[in-house]
Amino acid sequence: MIPKNHPRYESLMTRELIVEGVEKGITSIHGLIAQGRGEAFDYLLGEKTSKNALKAEKVAAATLLLAKKPVISVNGNVAALVPAEIIKLSEIVNAPLEVNLFHRTEDRVKKIIKRLRSLGAKKMFTKTDALIPGLSHERGKVDSDGIFSADVVLVPLEDGDRCKALVDMGKSVIAIDLNPLSRTAQCATITIVDNIIRAVPNISKFAQELKSSNEEALREIITEFNNKKNLAHAIDDIEAHLASRQS
Ligand code: PTJ
């Protein structure tokens, strides 16, 4: 039991969620490594949402609201860390969820779908009747009505290959990745360099605020955004945080 007054309470609780996810058969054992890597980058970023991340979160909300067929991809880490929050976002922006795993097993897919449904997820794509071109059979399995035909896909904690394959299909890919140097971060259309724990509720908040905006106003938010610049700012944020710790 982690005491609430522990100085690293939130970070340790997040770790507990991932461990619990592995124990329940929802999260891949590799998810522990991914979380550790994410934690290291979060530490370097000061464990807070930067101004630049907030900007990307707002652009992500506008992109999801403008999309004709948005889909949110859920993996084992997402299902462990933010299941209720991702369902809420899915409802606000009308983007059904689709379980799409890197280390795919049918058992884990079923368990994640069951968990999401038990928490109230209604709109989900659950077929696997299509393949993302350029990926191995297991990793490329998707729903023809879901990720395969989506125009915008939100892929939190994705691997670089799949992100690239989705971009190559002509989709707008929104990635959430604490590592601004990862292949996913570099290839996505919009990269949110923030912890998924903070990012998903922030996107939902922006989506609520922007829901009544007209198409032109939403387009303006998107056109002003430059992902390469935003990634460069994320690296500046790490440098600035490290410099502040030296003085
Ligand atoms: O459930 P599966 O089988 O689909 O597997 C999911 C993981 C995440 C294990 C798989 O996709 C994987 O191995 O991912 P990688 O290649 O380790 O990449 C994960 C990326 O997410 C890394 O760049 C991490 O820095 C980042 N990351 C980890 N935890 C968080 C995070 N980004 C945001 N928030 C986090 N909590």
Side-chain angles (χ1 to χ4, degrees):
M1 180 79 177
I2 300 158
K4 276 213 156 136
N5 60 356
H6 190 290
R8 303 210 44 77
Y9 178 76
E10 270 180 34
S11 169
L12 293 174
M13 284 310 290
T14 307
R15 210 176 264 198
E16 283 305 305
L17 290 175
I18 289 284
V19 170
E20 216 177 275
V22 173
E23 285 168 354
K24 285 185 177 154
I26 283 172
T27 308
S28 151
I29 191 93
H30 304 87
L32 298 170
I33 301 170
Q35 174 66 21
R37 190 151 32 149
E39 275 180 19
F41 278 99
D42 207 12
Y43 206 81
L44 294 176
L45 283 156
E47 293 175 306
K48 57 181 189 305
T49 302
S50 68
K51 220 171 69 203
N52 301 303
L54 261 187
K55 195 196 273 179
E57 283 154 3
K58 187 172 182 182
V59 175
T63 305
L64 286 164
L65 287 171
L66 265 185
K68 290 197 171 58
K69 245 186 137 233
V71 174
I72 299 176
S73 181
V74 178
N75 66 18
N77 285 48
V78 177
L81 293 177
V82 284
E85 294 80 357
I86 210 89
I87 294 168
K88 184 172 173 202
L89 175 62
S90 155
E91 277 164 14
I92 297 170
V93 298
N94 207 9
L97 304 173
E98 180 169 341
V99 177
N100 189 233
L101 303 182
F102 182 75
H103 306 280
R104 186 184 178 92
T105 67
E106 293 315 313
D107 181 52
R108 215 148 58 79
V109 172
K110 274 194 205 125
K111 283 183 173 151
I112 296 173
I113 292 175
K114 198 170 159 203
R115 169 140 216 230
L116 294 170
R117 288 220 198 279
S118 76
L119 289 169
K122 287 180 196 78
K123 286 178 256 161
M124 290 190 75
F125 291 115
T126 56
K127 287 188 282 137
T128 44
D129 58 346
L131 283 177
I132 303 172
L135 289 180
S136 69
H137 190 69
E138 282 306 304
R139 284 174 53 211
K141 281 183 177 173
V142 281
D143 189 321
S144 57
D145 295 319
I147 289 178
F148 189 81
S149 52
D151 56 346
V152 174
V153 191
L154 171 64
V155 287
L157 282 63
E158 184 65 352
D159 83 285
D161 277 4
R162 235 178 1 196
C163 178
K164 182 169 180 310
L166 293 171
V167 170
D168 287 347
M169 285 177 85
K171 301 178 192 306
S172 285
V173 176
I174 304 168
I176 302 175
D177 193 331
L178 276 160
N179 176 2
L181 302 168
S182 77
R183 282 192 308 133
T184 300
Q186 297 287 330
C187 99
T189 321
I190 299 158
T191 308
I192 297 166
V193 183
D194 198 5
N195 197 318
I196 188 176
I197 298 262
R198 300 186 295 266
V200 173
N202 283 345
I203 306 171
S204 290
K205 187 177 84 49
F206 281 122
Q208 294 271 33
E209 284 168 18
L210 294 172
K211 231 179 160 164
S212 50
S213 303
N214 62 32
E215 209 179 304
E216 200 187 330
L218 293 176
R219 281 204 195 286
E220 208 176 300
I221 294 170
I222 299 167
T223 349
E224 278 171 8
F225 181 75
N226 179 321
N227 204 44
K228 285 273 170 262
K229 269 196 194 153
N230 214 57
L231 283 170
H233 287 318
I235 296 167
D236 293 343
D237 288 337
I238 292 178
E239 278 177 12
H241 180 65
L242 292 179
S244 76
R245 295 298 297 262
Q246 276 177 332
S247 48

